[in-house]
Every structure is written in C-alpha cells, then in structure tokens.
Amino acid sequence: MIITMNIDLLTFSPTKTGLKICRKITEGTGVAVNCISEIDLTKAEIRRQPPAIDADLCIICAPCYEARIPPVVRDFFSNSTIDGKNTPTVAVVVYGNRTLGIALKQLVEKVANAHFKVIATGSFVGEQSYASDFLPLGLGRPDAADLEAAKSFGQQIGALLMDAKGADLQPIKAAMMPGSIQWMFRLIPEGFLGSFGSPSAISADCIHCGLCEKWCPVEAIDSQTLEIDRKKCIHCMACVKLCPSKARKLQLRTPPIVKRFMKPGFKVRREPKTRIAEKNG
C-alpha cells in the first residue's frame, strides 16, 4: 500500500548537515509525495514570518549547541505565530558526537507546545561546528552509515503512517525523553563555551560574493564590510564551512584546553538513536 502526502521540512541547519539527514529520512518513508516544502529556519526572515503549516507530516530538525538546542530555535517556537495544527511530526537533533545533553528533550517540548504532534524522534551525529583534523568531532559525518540509518528511520515512520495514519498514535512527550546536562554546562553561562571558537575576519582570499552574509542565521555580518558583529554571532561556523574561497578560518582560544575538553567527542563513535510512537490502547 502506498499513501500520498505533503511533507514539510523545518530545519535550522546553518551548515546543511541536518537538512541532509532530513532529506534522507523523507526518502526512506516510501510515501508518494505530492509536495515537499523545505522551510529554512536558518533564515531570519523565515523565522520572522513563518509560512502556515499545511502538511500531512512534518520533520523538524535543530542542532545541539552546548547540550541544548540554540536559543534562537527555542525562541522561535516559543514566540512565533507558527501553529503545528496537530500535524504528525518527527523531531530530530544533530550533535557533534560529544554530548546530546537535553537538546532532544527541549526540541520535543518546544514543538509540542507549538501544537505539533510528535510521533517519532531521532538523534544523529553530524560534523561539529569546530570539527577539523585537530578536533575530529564527528568529522566527515553524517557518513554513509549515518545516512542509511536515517533512511531506515524513514522506513519505520512510513510504515507507522501507513498502519495508523497518525490518528491513533500516543504522542511522544518531553517527559519521556532521556537527557541531562553535565556539571560543566550547568556551572557556566550558556554561550560561554561556544566563544572558545570563532570565525576569523575575512582574508585576502575573499571574493566578496556576500554568501557569508546571506547564510548567517542571526544577521551578524555586515553586507558592505563583511565584518562580524561578535555580540550577535552564535558560532555556528556557517561562514567558515560554506565559504567558497575559504576566506575565513576557525580561530580557537587556548587550543590545548579546548582539545582536552572536547576529547570525549572523538574517543568513541556515537550512533544514531531513534524512537517511534506507540498506538493508543
């Protein structure tokens, strides 16, 4: 049996990692898709005026920054006019192989409060914003195995919808989700650890294409000078990783200390984890 549906992908994905995983989940569902709408929450103008949700399934994805979803994502779901209309929804968090913390729990809570019906959740590993040969935090991920896991997750979701069509499923709630914040993340202000890595000013290699300004999710880059407003910057590194001329570099404060703190993120390979809703009764 093949069902036909519309799917909305809502992704805050500055370096496009989460979007890649969500596309693979969608591919795996096996449903005949009338329309896939990619709602790019990375763009500030979309967050200011989000489109109406008009889908049979939503897949919502956010990254994990310092064991949480970014404040900009939390604020969007708390303060915007977006209404999930009880649409069956998959909540996905992508993290850099170090710690997931409470990010998935937060995302489930925020989207449920915005009236999305969470029927599945997933945590996947992607290349961390600071990833390099020096800090191999999820370097090269999602790899082929990760994308195959995302596709398999999509197959489970497709089977669930074909069987229940979302109507008689028990929603997944934040209280059901595991997750905690390590002591260091609790002791210091949110954002402090992120400040240990920052994008450099542009170099002579800059071709002034303006893509870094266009891609910045918090409008922190001046359109004329391409200088970064450091108070706005959220250290997502989109301007570093996506620059076609490699005109910006990652700058680390106290690299040996950063490497020691991040070491748990490259000692053990962490794998995707998923959860599917159960039927009522």
Side-chain angles (χ1 to χ4, degrees), residues 5-266:
M5 62 173 56
N6 298 326
I7 299 178
D8 283 351
L9 305 185
L10 292 81
T11 60
F12 184 87
S13 183
T15 57
K16 314 304 179 187
T17 303
L19 178 59
K20 183 186 296 187
I21 289 170
C22 288
R23 286 173 173 167
K24 187 59 69 171
I25 293 171
T26 302
E27 177 187 332
T29 60
V31 302
V33 179
N34 281 332
C35 177
I36 299 176
S37 297
E38 295 189 353
I39 301 171
D40 188 0
L41 300 180
T42 311
K43 296 179 178 179
E45 63 268 25
I46 298 296
R47 297 196 304 273
R48 284 192 287 265
Q49 291 186 312
I53 298 300
D54 185 20
D56 303 293
L57 174 70
C58 289
I59 302 176
I60 301 178
C61 181
C64 174
Y65 292 173
E66 298 184 40
R68 307 166 178 90
I69 56 173
V72 65
V73 178
R74 303 200 303 261
D75 291 345
F76 168 75
F77 283 106
S78 295
N79 302 325
S80 81
T81 59
I82 197 162
D83 182 356
K85 300 177 182 176
N86 208 37
T87 304
T89 297
V90 183
V92 176
V93 166
V94 177
Y95 70 110
N97 201 63
R98 192 189 185 286
T99 179
L100 182 62
I102 61 169
L104 189 54
K105 183 191 293 284
Q106 282 186 326
L107 185 61
V108 170
E109 177 184 26
K110 292 298 181 182
V111 302
N113 287 344
H115 310 123
F116 291 87
K117 181 179 180 179
V118 181
I119 63 162
T121 64
S123 59
F124 290 82
V125 174
E127 191 168 289
Q128 209 258 8
S129 297
Y130 302 167
S132 64
D133 291 337
F134 179 71
L135 291 175
L137 296 158
L139 194 63
R141 299 182 71 181
D143 56 20
D146 294 315
L147 295 177
E148 186 58 35
K151 185 176 180 180
S152 177
F153 182 39
Q155 290 169 345
Q156 291 180 277
I157 295 163
L160 186 72
L161 294 172
M162 289 177 194
D163 181 38
K165 296 186 179 180
D168 59 346
L169 295 173
Q170 179 69 38
I172 296 174
K173 299 180 180 179
M176 303 175 182
M177 305 305 299
S180 60
I181 296 182
Q182 295 173 348
W183 65 270
M184 182 173 288
F185 292 101
R186 292 197 302 267
L187 289 176
I188 58 180
E190 186 175 1
F192 177 77
L193 289 175
S195 68
F196 277 80
S198 60
S200 70
I202 54 173
S203 70
D205 295 322
C206 180
I207 59 175
H208 296 272
C209 63
L211 290 177
C212 60
E213 183 263 336
K214 177 182 177 182
W215 285 326
C216 179
V218 291
E219 300 176 315
I221 299 178
D222 185 273
S223 61
Q224 300 300 315
T225 65
L226 302 183
E227 291 182 358
I228 298 173
D229 183 334
R230 302 293 173 175
K231 292 182 179 179
K232 289 184 178 180
C233 178
I234 60 171
H235 312 280
C236 69
M237 300 301 154
C239 61
V240 173
K241 290 184 174 289
L242 302 179
C243 177
S245 59
K246 308 300 181 185
R248 293 190 197 270
K249 306 297 182 185
L250 168 64
Q251 295 178 319
L252 292 176
R253 292 165 52 193
T254 59
I257 295 175
V258 173
K259 187 169 187 176
R260 181 177 180 181
F261 177 74
M262 293 294 194
K263 192 173 182 180
F266 44 85

